[in-house]
Amino acid sequence: MFDILIVGAGLGGLAAAIALRRKGHSVHVLEGAPEIKEVGAGIQIPPNSTRILHSWGLKEELLKLVVWPQSITIRRYETGKQIGFTPLHPELMDNYGYPYHVIHRHDYQQLLLTEAKRVGAKVTLNAYVTSVDESTASVTLASGKTLTADLIIGADGIRSRIRTAITRTTIEPRPTPNCAYRATIPLHKLVSNPIFTPLLSPPLCTLWIGPQRHIMAYPLRTSAPNPLYNLVLSHPSPASTPGSLEDLKSHYANWDPLVTALLSNIDSAHCIKWPIAELPVLDTWVSESGRIVLMGDAAHAMVPYLAQGAAMAVEDAAVLAECVARAKERSELGSVLAVFENQRKGRCEMVQKGSWENGVGWHLADGPKQLQRDADMRRDMEKMKMRKEEVEAEREKEKQEKRKENPNMWSDEEFQPWLFNHDAVKAARERLDEMGL
Ligand SMILES: Cc1cc2nc3c(=O)[nH]c(=O)nc-3n(C[C@H](O)[C@H](O)[C@H](O)COP(=O)(O)OP(=O)(O)OC[C@H]3O[C@@H](n4cnc5c(N)ncnc54)[C@H](O)[C@@H]3O)c2cc1C
């Protein structure tokens, strides 16, 4: 069993603490912030992630906190007309055995924090890491204290300090032209107005897409005392300018009247601007000494257009624990971490790329490409209404030609199972077995 330091108590670091404690290691999480506090907004938990959370015994607790959206419904920006559709519930349960949820970030983080502590992880706040020594596997805190471990995990987010011990140079995140505003509206303000019923009953994820902009929205905490409606609105805006509700509204002035009505319910106290950036692909996630490793946003921060960043961090956590469990002594950590990197890097980079491409498709300017996108999304939506035999015949026909990808990637018939049905732990175990580790 190893002494492990995890730097960062975000969703990724806490998930890693749970996974590694469950394997019996001594785990100490160092968090720079004075308290564990996620932004007041929602996050989607796809089935590739619920699979892992359930395996950690968190199903019951999760069920108390989540909403089960029935679909992701994609609408055109100016008319609100539906152009795309991804059924979520019960279809994903039926197809892959695990559900798609949405949850308040604070609730998710508290759930993981409580579980990490319950299984015996130590979590220290106000423990900002200022430097890391790769050769001795030690970190120095802002207080001047130095801590040493068998293994150090950098789960310290997109601006990771731990990353420099591996890359040897500072890798800056790549800014994107877009920002994201995260806003919540008390649900009672919407339920009293029947125009919002199509968004709420049954609960849906609704995505409006338009030139250079989109809005993702869904209800949160519907069975809790303070239910909310969550919106993420993304449009071009330099990271350096402060956000404002007026600026936000100006970007969606000519959109679907339902959007205008929703925005009129946002209070500036519950609306924050967030820069959107991603990391370039790193050469490696593991230090030369085999004692320092990156995970989550520190390794592969991505734009949020597939709602998979935290899900990838949870997959990383589970795979990391499987790999580390196969090392009997410190000198073997390098080879099991190489398997971790091999299992995770390619998949995360595919998801990073997919997230970017999804955004490009959503943000197309008015014109022929956009019209083609809408037609392709509609074609795949129509397929969902066909009988099984008709779908088979259609697929056969497509095989003869070239398979047309669905511009709604969540519904693409090859990409969706690759993304949602991935059993990260099983894949890692098989690889470790094959390698005799
Ligand atoms: C608008 C938006 C919407 C998103 N929606 C989704 C979604 O629906 N589904 C999904 O799966 N993902 C989503 N994501 C992505 C997701 O939020 C991130 O991928 C995920 O939260 C990353 O978790 P992390 O633990 O790796 O990093 P972080 O959450 O960044 O956590 C890093 C932690 O490390 C701490 N830290 C940093 N430096 C130090 C240091 N030197 N010393 C000590 N502590 C330190 C920080 O305080 C922080 O607590 C979205 C992202 C955005 C921007």
Side-chain angles (χ1 to χ4, degrees), residues 149 242 260 307 351 403:
T260 313
V351 177
R403 191 182 87 84

Side-chain angles (χ1 to χ4, degrees), residues 323-344:
C323 293
V324 172
R326 301 288 178 109
K328 285 165 216 70
E329 46 197 75
R330 213 193 250 177
S331 59
E332 293 174 7
L333 281 171
S335 36
V336 295
L337 291 181
V339 179
F340 164 72
E341 177 176 306
N342 178 277
Q343 284 292 297
R344 299 299 308 149

Side-chain angles (χ1 to χ4, degrees), residues 43-44 105 158 173-180 182 214 232 234 274-281 296-297 299-312 348-363 409-410 415 419:
I43 187 161
Q44 304 172 53
R105 278 176 178 265
I158 189 166
R174 259 197 312 243
T176 72
N178 273 32
C179 71
R182 289 158 151 174
H214 75 268
V232 179
S234 185
W274 207 261
I276 293 187
E278 62 167 12
L279 268 190
V281 167
D297 275 13
H300 49 69
M302 57 188 73
V303 295
Y305 307 146
L306 268 178
Q308 280 281 340
M312 287 300 118
C348 290
E349 284 160 15
M350 276 285 274
V351 177
Q352 246 180 335
K353 185 166 168 281
S355 302
W356 183 266
E357 284 170 2
N358 223 20
V360 170
W362 292 352
H363 295 166
M409 292 178 70
W410 282 305
F415 188 71
L419 187 64

